[in-house]
Amino acid sequence: MAKPVLLTVDDDWEVLRAIERDLRRKYASDYRVLRAESGEAAMEIVRDLKVRDNAIALFLIDQRMPGLSGVEFLQQAISLYPDAKRVLLTAYADTDAAIAAINEAGINYYLLKPWDPPEENLYPVLDELLEDWQAAVPPQFEGIRVLGNRWSPVSHNIKDFLARNHVPYKWLDIETAAADSEVRGLVELLEKEETESLPLVILPNGLRLRQPTLAQLAENVGLKTRAAEAFYDLAIVGGGPAGLAAAVYGASEGLRTVMIEREAPGGQAGMSSRIENYLGFPSGLSGGDLARRAVVQARRFGVEILSAEATAVRLDGPYRFLTLGDGAELSCHALLVATGVQWRKLEAPGVERLTGAGIYYGAAMTEAISTRDEVVFVVGGANSAGQAAMYFSKYAQRVVVLVRGSSLALSMSQYLINQLKETPNVQIEFNSSVVEAHGEDHLEAISVHCTTSNEVNKVPANSLFILIGAAPNTKWLADIVDRDERGFILSGPDLMRDGKRPKGWQLDRDPGLLETNVPGIFVVGDVRHGSVKRVASGVGEGSVAISFVHQYLSKVV
Ligand SMILES: Cc1cc2nc3c(=O)[nH]c(=O)nc-3n(C[C@H](O)[C@H](O)[C@H](O)COP(=O)(O)OP(=O)(O)OC[C@H]3O[C@@H](n4cnc5c(N)ncnc54)[C@H](O)[C@@H]3O)c2cc1C
């Protein structure tokens, strides 16, 4: 956490050095001492500190300076830091001016030059003022701040990325500037181009990123984007439950392991507000918690986690080369594909245009706060939609679940159906499909078709969460591994046709249980053809695959 600042200003270089030295001697362990040679230069520092959201505890200012006088400086500075303590340094001859300034700029104290010895003439005064300041000022938020617009898809992606990677941040909605002095103060200090190209991400070190890509964001918030090694025993693509389990088992059993994840570890499970059927957690746990624990465990065993997208694979003898989004390559002996599935898109006019601006795929938990006291629409009839409805019911005034079919019995677990029925602000509409989304720059209404009455009703809506199933994203592997007609990757016995091994297979054994048609490339979790789409089964497959990886490595290494 950045230390609060003591800022001293004097145009006399000798005096400035002397006061800076005395301040550092006594306060350097708890405060950062900064100096400026003029009121104008000091105002620059003050503005910069404000944008960084650093605290200033004390101004210690010479009164008589060319340009801005001490009092004039303080009058400007306290509009940005009203709680900072203010001490004026004056010569004996200026005492009357200093006394007059007590009212003008709310001076807490004036000190006569010289202040020697500081133990008698400086420190007791400052100690008292700093104690008061510490007691009165609430601890500050010191993390990343994101200034943006609630309806901006880029803002949503940034918030979602930070939240799912467990990077703390503070969201500042520019639309609240009129009512929120923090937002207003920040907007006034920023350059025009910055407020015109939101979102703006402000890092604690002062760096400002305008509309950053996720890769730029990852690089700047401390996520690893480049591999430390050129070669690994095991490379895992995808950091959902299956990939994380494989990473933990692989690294704990001595394999040099890298896990590549393009969004955030946790995968789909990380988006689940409450997983209630995972063994060992009788009262359920959130997907975010599960992911956080698994990441800590993986790191403890030495897994390298990269925030990057795998875009291609090439084979070279026993080596498998992975290309990442930035064009970099890394190689490995064993490759494990755990890329899960992605949300299926809702095909209706307006939906694509307004995605991220009121329409979201998945439960988009970062948007929950913004839906407070609003009506939220959830589309889907499976467990993920049920969980999302339960989650939003804690924030929204009412949650309307739009289900295409006439019952939930076949698609949703009974415990969730019961929970939905018992939650008074959840309303389930059967035989209902969204056929159009309306709005200029954000969602304002949806048209819902009811198959029973065959009527289309247009209803006001600001938030629509779509959870209508998922499909694998395996096109980047299409030339390498065999897939079924829907894109799921085939493995083990599913590769055998009439008792024959897959085309090009040269080993004198059948493909192993979780092995693809390329020896040494394994597949686990939801992306595998025939997998059971559950957290526990992904974790099970990820763990079991490591014993097949060992068997494979024992033959190639
Ligand atoms: C909202 C919701 C609630 C759920 N609730 C439950 C529940 O209560 N109980 C239960 O058992 N199951 C639940 N599920 C299902 C469960 O989450 C999944 O079955 C499980 O997450 C699958 O794990 P996985 O590791 O195979 O894939 P995923 O979780 O899909 O993870 C795959 C990861 O791979 C990454 N990836 C994809 N392509 C690339 C690439 N090219 N490069 C780098 N990374 C890539 C993705 O970003 C993703 O993080 C829920 C799912 C959802 C969406």
Side-chain angles (χ1 to χ4, degrees), residues 120-159:
E120 276 178 33
N121 296 325
L122 181 69
Y123 298 149
V125 172
L126 299 193
D127 282 349
E128 208 171 290
L129 290 175
L130 291 174
E131 249 171 57
D132 284 356
W133 182 84
Q134 291 279 8
V137 173
Q140 277 211 292
F141 176 80
E142 291 279 352
I144 295 165
R145 284 171 307 149
V146 183
L147 176 70
N149 181 308
R150 174 183 169 189
W151 304 115
S152 145
V154 192
S155 294
H156 166 71
N157 289 344
I158 287 174
K159 286 192 288 174

Side-chain angles (χ1 to χ4, degrees), residues 164 237-243 260-278 308-311 338-343 362-363 383-385 387 415 467 473 476 524-527 532-538:
R164 292 179 53 207
V237 183
I260 298 138
E261 167 55 55
R262 66 178 174 186
E263 287 169 20
Q268 297 169 69
M271 291 184 237
S272 167
S273 49
R274 194 122 218 109
I275 300 169
E276 307 227 25
N277 53 1
Y278 191 56
E309 176 163 19
T311 53
T339 48
V341 291
Q342 277 188 317
W343 293 108
N383 280 1
S384 51
Q387 284 180 4
Y415 76 90
L467 304 98
N473 178 8
W476 63 286
V524 291
D526 280 14
V527 70
V532 176
K533 312 267 178 298
R534 288 280 183 273
V535 175
S537 50

Side-chain angles (χ1 to χ4, degrees), residues 188-486:
E188 281 165 9
L189 289 169
L190 293 171
E191 308 289 334
K192 196 159 167 275
E193 308 88 73
E194 290 177 313
T195 50
E196 281 173 358
S197 52
L198 294 175
L200 178 75
V201 177
I202 306 168
L203 301 170
N205 64 4
L207 190 66
R208 280 130 78 166
L209 307 173
R210 269 191 252 168
Q211 299 187 335
T213 62
L214 295 188
Q216 286 166 333
L217 198 58
E219 200 150 350
N220 282 285
V221 300
L223 299 175
K224 220 163 169 297
T225 53
R226 289 188 186 90
E229 314 276 337
F231 173 79
Y232 295 84
D233 299 321
L234 171 65
I236 299 163
V237 183
L244 279 164
V248 166
Y249 277 81
S252 70
E253 293 174 18
L255 301 177
R256 254 173 309 166
T257 304
V258 63
M259 188 184 85
I260 298 138
E261 167 55 55
R262 66 178 174 186
E263 287 169 20
Q268 297 169 69
M271 291 184 237
S272 167
S273 49
R274 194 122 218 109
I275 300 169
E276 307 227 25
N277 53 1
Y278 191 56
L279 187 71
F281 294 88
S283 45
L285 87 167
S286 78
D289 274 348
L290 182 68
R292 192 176 39 75
R293 287 163 190 241
V295 167
V296 172
Q297 205 173 5
R299 290 221 164 96
R300 216 188 92 215
F301 286 122
V303 176
E304 193 178 319
I305 300 179
L306 290 192
S307 183
E309 176 163 19
T311 53
V313 179
R314 72 181 169 88
L315 312 175
D316 189 352
Y319 299 102
R320 280 85 189 86
F321 285 82
L322 264 183
T323 309
L324 305 184
D326 63 359
E329 263 198 344
L330 61 87
S331 64
C332 58
H333 267 147
L335 173 64
L336 191 123
V337 181
T339 48
V341 291
Q342 277 188 317
W343 293 108
R344 187 162 287 137
K345 301 282 178 233
L346 177 68
E347 303 293 343
V351 170
E352 194 178 334
R353 185 172 55 80
L354 296 170
T355 295
I359 298 184
Y360 307 94
Y361 285 91
M365 287 180 267
T366 43
E367 300 303 324
I369 296 285
S370 312
T371 65
R372 202 178 282 284
D373 302 329
E374 292 182 359
V375 179
V376 161
F377 291 85
V378 172
V379 185
N383 280 1
S384 51
Q387 284 180 4
M390 287 305 300
Y391 183 72
F392 288 117
S393 70
K394 294 186 206 123
Y395 298 86
Q397 182 220 341
R398 191 157 51 93
V399 179
V400 182
V401 186
L402 301 171
V403 183
R404 206 169 44 167
S406 54
S407 146
L408 289 175
L410 289 179
S411 54
M412 197 180 283
S413 301
Q414 193 56 43
Y415 76 90
L416 262 178
I417 299 177
N418 295 345
Q419 283 180 4
L420 293 175
K421 278 188 190 150
E422 285 158 17
T423 308
N425 63 338
V426 172
Q427 171 188 339
I428 301 176
E429 295 291 339
F430 292 106
N431 307 309
S432 302
S433 313
V434 174
V435 289
E436 189 167 357
H438 311 268
E440 279 295 311
D441 61 345
H442 70 271
L443 181 69
E444 289 167 34
I446 51 174
S447 292
V448 181
H449 177 233
C450 171
T451 45
T452 325
S453 62
N454 204 20
E455 279 175 6
V456 174
N457 282 316
K458 186 171 171 182
V459 285
N462 281 148
S463 304
L464 177 72
F465 297 91
I466 303 168
L467 304 98
I468 52 169
N473 178 8
T474 53
K475 279 204 191 95
W476 63 286
L477 286 164
D479 298 337
I480 300 282
V481 297
D482 289 351
R483 305 177 304 154
D484 68 13
E485 64 290 349
R486 291 188 298 153

